[in-house]
Amino acid sequence: DLGSGKAFSYADLDRRIDAMAAYMGSLGIGRGDRVAVLAHNGVEFFDVQFACGRLGAISVLLNWRLTVPELEYILNDSSPKLIVHDVEFAAAATELQGLCSIGTLLEVEGGSADSAYEQVIASFDGQDGGRADLTHDDVVTIMYTSGTTGLPKGAMITHGMNFWNCVNLGIPGGITVDTVHLNVLPLFHTGGLNCYSNPVLHAGGTVVLLKGFDPGETLQVLGDPAQGITHFFAVPAPYQFMMQHPDFADTDLSRLGVAGVGGAPCALAIMENWTERGVSLTQGFGMTETSPACIFLDPGDALRKIGSTGKALMHTELRIVNDEGGDCGPDEIGELWVAGPNITPGYWNRPDATADAFEGRWLKTGDAARMDDEGFVYIVDRWKDMYISGGENVYPAEVENVLYQLSEVAEAAIIGIPDDRWGEVGLAVLALKPGESIERTIVQEHCASQLAKFKVPSDIAIVEALP
């Protein structure tokens, strides 16, 4: 844990998990109960995740970029008994405790022995929190994803999904006991937690955590022979920021064997720049709902199949389905459907959303795709209105709901437009009420008070009426 400067053996982690499970048990937390985490990357994510696993409880991993109104909905939906939070989120956690009737807060302070969190670990050290009798079908985590209705949906992640992701991703990713993985993505996202941190822990390798992403710091760690990083995963934006950093040309990347990229389409220029430095980016496709590994492009095919996300992983099935529900032929565009033991059973408290997302055992991804005559899949576009900004999903309906709060606005629409830095950003297209005017800064300030920064429109366009 580079954020706290501490290292942990598997024996250390095992004791911390038992202590956390015993503490949770003392609060009356047991099978099916929820525990929320609102924190930057740190060992605490693994303490809580695996302690919940032992008790049969469920961890709810919160996006700290969200505002209090956004988190309020998620916490009222999931009803956790405990929030583990960083000291910098103390004010938000206290406010949410009152708004959502949460019993207990537990504060993390950068691994300090004086922090409430570490005092709990010390107090319950040596106690056995017990083991629940579970199966692969039991839920261990809820991860909230934005929905086209504007309200987040809690994707249920089971023990089986975590296991099959370790198999699906770990084997082609070459993850072994000798793997040293650097994680810079937030652990509240499936990309941070499961690409490749959980698979590395499953294999007995080493996970190196940065509190967050900084291009220069990340390059320094990647090039440090004392760290010996062999694996890395990110969405395209971090790769772009690192290749634009002055240290990129001179960083020793020779030990980096697997560099995965996903979460959004990766520009050819990014892939070419990293390939010139001797690192072939390994592309893949996945979703929170697919645990996430689903489709994987072998690095040996990367240049031959530029633009492809690869083939279905061993324990995942896929179809590309036309409007009539039949399978598409080669290079015919349809909706990508997936099935397998790595697929979510559905959404927390949302049987309606679950029913809409599935056709029998097939999860409808909402992505438009085609498959060539060799079985390589190409993601063409999204059936849904969602766009991706810096690896974060943004659904227009959620932003539009906030825009309609402005008294000047008659009609509002959000579209994703290309951006060199973030891949895509939002453009707010507004039709105003007669006689009204509005400045971009007013729109942005209003959105920033209600929405995470990555959802705030970068610009506005005023039109007479929406088409």
Side-chain angles (χ1 to χ4, degrees):
D1 186 347
L2 298 179
S4 66
K6 293 185 176 182
F8 305 89
S9 69
Y10 278 88
D12 295 331
L13 183 61
D14 184 56
R15 286 194 297 271
R16 292 175 67 88
I17 294 164
D18 262 342
M20 181 50 56
Y23 168 69
M24 290 179 184
S26 74
L27 299 177
I29 294 169
R31 186 167 186 158
D33 293 325
R34 277 77 65 200
V35 176
V37 180
L38 182 65
H40 290 293
N41 289 354
V43 69
E44 299 82 15
F45 272 86
F46 301 118
D47 296 340
V48 172
Q49 175 190 225
F50 293 119
C52 285
R54 291 186 179 178
L55 292 171
I58 300 169
S59 59
V60 180
L61 308 182
L62 302 174
N63 185 337
W64 46 259
R65 295 168 176 152
L66 300 181
T67 61
V68 166
E70 291 169 307
L71 291 171
E72 180 184 1
Y73 173 82
I74 290 171
L75 292 174
N76 278 328
D77 186 56
S78 57
S79 303
K81 291 186 174 181
L82 166 69
I83 298 182
V84 176
H85 67 89
D86 268 346
V87 61
E88 68 183 88
F89 304 131
T94 300
E95 185 177 355
L96 289 163
Q97 182 181 28
L99 290 169
C100 306
S101 302
I102 294 163
T104 308
L105 303 181
L106 182 61
E107 189 170 272
V108 176
E109 193 172 358
S112 167
D114 295 330
S115 73
Y117 185 92
E118 290 300 327
Q119 287 178 353
V120 160
I121 294 290
S123 296
F124 286 85
D125 187 33
Q127 297 189 32
D128 187 346
R131 302 287 190 280
D133 185 15
L134 304 173
T135 74
H136 272 189
D137 294 331
D138 283 293
V139 176
V140 66
T141 306
I142 301 173
M143 289 185 171
Y144 278 83
T145 66
S146 292
T148 52
T149 61
L151 294 175
K153 297 178 293 186
M156 294 185 285
I157 312 300
T158 65
H159 288 272
M161 289 172 65
N162 279 346
F163 169 75
W164 287 108
N165 182 66
C166 291
V167 175
N168 259 351
L169 193 58
I171 293 173
I175 293 172
T176 72
V177 69
D178 297 317
T179 293
V180 184
H181 167 57
L182 174 62
N183 183 76
V184 299
L185 296 182
L187 288 167
F188 60 71
H189 269 319
T190 189
L193 193 64
N194 295 313
C195 301
Y196 306 104
S197 294
N198 270 339
V200 172
L201 293 174
H202 181 262
T206 302
V207 176
V208 179
L209 293 178
L210 278 174
K211 183 178 178 181
F213 172 73
D214 174 82
E217 183 181 19
T218 302
L219 285 169
Q220 187 275 320
V221 177
L222 288 173
D224 185 353
Q227 295 290 351
I229 303 298
T230 65
H231 284 63
F232 182 75
F233 182 86
V235 297
Y239 284 109
Q240 180 177 355
F241 298 154
M242 284 190 285
M243 79 184 198
Q244 293 169 344
H245 193 277
D247 293 342
F248 180 67
D250 299 321
T251 299
D252 180 7
L253 300 172
S254 61
R255 288 169 294 274
L256 187 58
V258 174
V261 61
C266 187
L268 181 59
I270 298 174
M271 299 186 66
E272 289 175 338
N273 271 272
W274 280 83
T275 300
E276 288 173 7
R277 290 295 341 273
V279 179
S280 295
L281 300 188
T282 302
Q283 293 195 87
F285 169 86
M287 305 166 63
T288 302
E289 292 90 338
T290 64
S291 71
C294 191
I295 304 174
F296 188 87
L297 181 64
D298 187 281
D301 291 313
L303 295 180
R304 189 173 72 90
K305 294 289 183 179
I306 288 172
S308 173
T309 193
K311 294 184 175 184
L313 286 161
M314 178 66 78
H315 300 287
T316 303
E317 297 173 80
L318 65 82
R319 299 172 61 195
I320 298 176
V321 179
N322 60 30
D323 289 337
E324 290 74 42
D327 291 323
C328 293
D331 291 319
E332 182 184 347
I333 295 172
E335 185 179 13
L336 177 65
W337 291 9
V338 295
N342 58 313
I343 307 301
T344 182
Y347 299 102
W348 184 260
N349 287 337
R350 291 292 303 277
D352 56 328
T354 301
D356 289 343
F358 284 88
E359 188 68 39
R361 65 190 183 92
W362 294 95
L363 173 69
K364 299 180 286 187
T365 68
D367 287 283
R370 65 178 176 88
M371 184 188 298
D372 68 16
D373 57 4
E374 294 182 64
F376 287 86
V377 176
Y378 296 76
I379 305 297
V380 178
D381 204 339
R382 290 173 290 278
W383 289 130
K384 303 172 184 175
D385 293 331
M386 180 190 79
Y387 65 92
I388 299 174
S389 185
E392 294 276 7
N393 295 350
V394 184
Y395 285 86
E398 187 177 12
V399 186
E400 289 159 7
N401 288 341
V402 173
L403 289 171
Y404 276 113
Q405 296 171 3
L406 292 163
S407 61
E408 299 89 345
V409 171
E411 292 184 293
I414 291 288
I415 58 171
I417 58 173
D419 181 78
D420 290 340
R421 182 175 177 86
W422 300 111
E424 291 178 288
V425 293
L427 173 67
V429 183
L430 305 176
L432 303 181
K433 296 174 183 175
E436 295 287 357
S437 64
I438 197 166
E439 297 294 324
R440 180 184 67 179
T441 53
I442 298 298
V443 174
Q444 291 175 323
E445 288 170 3
H446 172 70
C447 289
S449 71
Q450 298 290 316
L451 298 165
K453 188 175 181 181
F454 62 84
K455 300 178 186 177
V456 176
S458 68
D459 205 351
I460 67 172
I462 306 298
V463 298
E464 286 293 323
L466 295 186

